[in-house]
Amino acid sequence: MIAQKQQSKASLSFLDKIFKYTERGSNAKTEVIGGVTTFLTMAYIVFVNPAILSDAGMDKSALITVTILATAIGTLIFAFLANAPFALAPGMGLNAFFTYSLVIGEGTHWTQALGVVFISGTIFLILAVTGVRKYIADAIPKELSIASAAGIGLFLSFVGLKGMGVIVGNPDTLVALADFTPTVLIALFGLVLMGIFEVKKVKGGILISIIVTTVLSIVLGYVELPTSIISAPPSIAPVAFKLDILGALKFSLIGPIFSFMFIDMFDSLAFLISCCKQMGLEDKDGNIKGLSRMLYADVTSTLIGSMLGTSTVTTFGESAAGIAAGARTGLASVVTASLFLVTLLFTPLLGVVPSYAASPALVMVGVFMFSSIRQVDFNDSKIAVSAFVTVLLMPLTYSISIGLCFGFISYIIMHVVSKETEKISVTLWIIGALSVLNLMLS
């Protein structure tokens, strides 16, 4: 008994040497709880990402395995490279952009779209290594970054309602309310359930809702049970290493490449800085300790994800739940990644989730993202116009890229008219010119 306790202390000491949780005011138990909490809040990605990317013509079964692997690998890279309690997964919004804007909207083949993701990640890495990232980050107006998040949220909600079957196309009004079929009612029930769980602050509410609506669909006969519960995961061969990098190197894809990079860079920066300040990971000058390593982990995961066959892998906002539970180090990320790897054994169950059961998650994520719009100062007409244009055109043009372009252009025009050109940096002028070029090519 004594020997076992000594061995346990030795192993804990070994973990502490690697992750330094005692130094950060945490302990192994707290890190495990934080890692489990993060897993529960983001596990829905295993259902939602394959549902979205399969609409691009990719193999859904392979995408289930790829989503799990990309999430686990990215999270482990973050754990050991940056030693911070963040999890990574295919980004919500970016996966919708990949499918509905780039593949369906612009007619790009999904292999070329993967090439776009790889190129955007490569450029992000170069900018991070050379230090140019800082100049771009400083050049982008804060209001447009906030508006882009809100616009993506609105776009996601639109896609979610479409996936639920709540809205359909209409030749006269473009969109209309669909008939309330049984599956639509089940999807609406799932959305209401997610809202209730959110109000009640139930951890893993999105995941629970997806499971409940799937079980309900099985009971009512709209979904068939799998022939087995545990099996080897589906092969990733149909999508892995299919990226067409050379095919993505064309002028018409400059806009999407920039958009992927922009969204990944600024979403990651804003989220990481906010959470790291909450955890006290700042030096005496207010700089975030290890931020460069965190960004390297983020972009490395994007490159690996594109090769495996998924859209941009990025730092997941749901990591904040684990941090709120006390997680402070990469040990929590190791726990999260391990739990995702365990789900590989249960892929038959994951494959039966219908798209209308997963789609309400898009609406809820859209709510979370859109809420950031309250930070925009609508009393300033220059800001109000450019922010509104950005938010409005993302869902209406079914393109995040086009919404961003109009946002940058309108911001520049408003400040030129107001004779405040000093607020427009050289970098922003270049971004504006690239936005005009993208719209012309589109």
Side-chain angles (χ1 to χ4, degrees):
M1 189 70 177
I2 296 174
Q4 287 180 341
K5 286 184 178 180
Q6 289 177 338
Q7 186 177 2
S8 177
K9 286 183 179 180
S11 62
L12 289 177
S13 177
F14 175 71
L15 287 174
D16 202 359
K17 286 178 181 178
I18 296 175
F19 297 107
K20 299 179 175 59
Y21 46 76
T22 301
E23 183 181 311
R24 296 187 185 179
S26 182
N27 56 63
K29 181 182 177 181
T30 301
E31 294 300 304
V32 170
I33 292 173
V36 172
T37 301
T38 296
F39 170 77
L40 290 174
T41 56
M42 66 179 285
Y44 69 86
I45 194 66
V46 176
F47 307 107
V48 179
N49 193 56
I52 293 174
L53 296 187
S54 61
D55 285 347
M58 302 173 73
D59 184 275
K60 187 176 181 180
S61 296
L63 285 168
I64 291 174
T65 305
V66 165
T67 300
I68 295 170
L69 288 177
T71 300
I73 292 170
T75 303
L76 287 173
I77 290 173
F78 212 104
F80 291 104
L81 182 61
N83 189 25
F86 294 97
L88 290 88
M92 296 297 295
L94 289 165
N95 49 13
F97 179 30
F98 180 99
T99 295
Y100 303 111
S101 293
L102 192 53
V103 176
I104 295 176
E106 299 186 23
T108 306
H109 194 270
W110 62 265
T111 55
Q112 292 180 329
L114 288 174
V116 168
V117 173
F118 183 87
I119 294 169
S120 70
T122 302
I123 295 173
F124 185 179
L125 180 61
I126 293 171
L127 295 179
V129 171
T130 59
V132 177
R133 168 187 56 81
K134 184 178 184 303
Y135 294 105
I136 296 178
D138 292 341
I140 304 297
K142 176 186 175 184
E143 294 81 5
L144 286 188
S145 295
I146 295 169
S148 68
I152 292 170
L154 204 59
F155 178 72
L156 277 179
S157 296
F158 185 77
V159 172
L161 290 171
K162 182 172 177 286
M164 291 167 63
V166 175
I167 56 174
V168 293
N170 185 290
D172 299 318
T173 60
L174 296 182
V175 293
L177 184 67
D179 295 330
F180 288 110
T181 63
T183 55
V184 170
L185 291 173
I186 292 172
L188 286 171
F189 169 72
L191 180 59
V192 171
L193 200 58
M194 287 181 190
I196 292 171
F197 284 147
E198 178 59 26
V199 170
K200 297 295 184 180
K201 304 299 180 185
V202 176
K203 289 183 173 64
I206 292 178
L207 174 63
I208 296 170
S209 300
I210 292 174
I211 294 172
V212 169
T213 50
T214 299
V215 170
L216 183 60
S217 297
I218 292 172
V219 172
L220 295 176
Y222 295 107
V223 173
E224 293 184 4
L225 280 169
T227 55
S228 62
I229 296 176
I230 298 176
S231 73
S235 170
I236 64 174
V239 297
F241 304 103
K242 303 291 185 184
L243 67 169
D244 182 3
I245 299 173
L246 292 178
L249 292 171
K250 48 187 178 183
F251 284 115
S252 61
L253 294 178
I254 289 176
I257 289 172
F258 174 76
S259 295
F260 273 114
M261 185 195 71
F262 171 85
I263 297 167
D264 187 19
M265 179 188 295
F266 289 96
D267 279 3
S268 297
L269 268 174
F271 177 66
L272 289 171
I273 290 172
S274 173
C275 288
C276 287
K277 285 185 176 181
Q278 179 186 335
M279 292 187 291
L281 297 180
E282 296 177 275
D283 61 22
K284 60 182 180 180
D285 297 319
N287 298 314
I288 302 301
K289 297 176 182 177
L291 180 60
S292 294
R293 291 196 302 276
M294 294 180 194
L295 291 174
Y296 292 150
D298 187 292
V299 71
T300 301
S301 300
T302 290
L303 297 175
I304 292 173
S306 66
M307 290 186 280
L308 287 174
T310 187
S311 54
T312 304
V313 176
T314 188
T315 309
F316 233 60
E318 281 76 358
S319 303
I323 293 170
R328 292 294 179 269
T329 72
L331 179 57
S333 298
V334 171
V335 173
T336 302
S338 300
L339 291 172
F340 271 105
L341 289 174
V342 170
T343 63
L344 282 172
L345 298 173
F346 301 95
T347 49
L349 286 177
L350 304 180
V352 303
V353 177
S355 60
Y356 62 80
S359 292
L362 296 178
V363 180
M364 283 306 300
V365 173
V367 172
F368 303 148
M369 296 184 72
F370 187 79
S371 64
S372 64
I373 197 66
R374 65 180 179 273
Q375 300 175 46
V376 175
D377 181 13
F378 280 94
N379 293 317
D380 186 336
S381 298
K382 301 185 298 299
I383 301 301
V385 169
S386 53
F388 184 74
V389 165
T390 303
V391 172
L392 186 66
L393 288 181
M394 283 187 184
L396 291 187
T397 62
Y398 221 64
S399 172
I400 293 172
S401 175
I402 290 177
L404 281 172
C405 288
F406 273 106
F408 287 127
I409 294 168
S410 60
Y411 183 91
I412 292 172
I413 292 174
M414 290 299 102
H415 281 77
V416 169
V417 171
S418 302
K419 297 181 180 179
E420 295 184 22
T421 53
E422 71 278 358
K423 294 184 178 181
I424 307 172
S425 65
V426 174
T427 306
L428 189 55
W429 279 113
I430 294 172
I431 292 172
L434 289 174
S435 296
V436 171
L437 179 62
N438 182 50
L439 292 176
M440 292 173 63
L441 292 173
S442 298

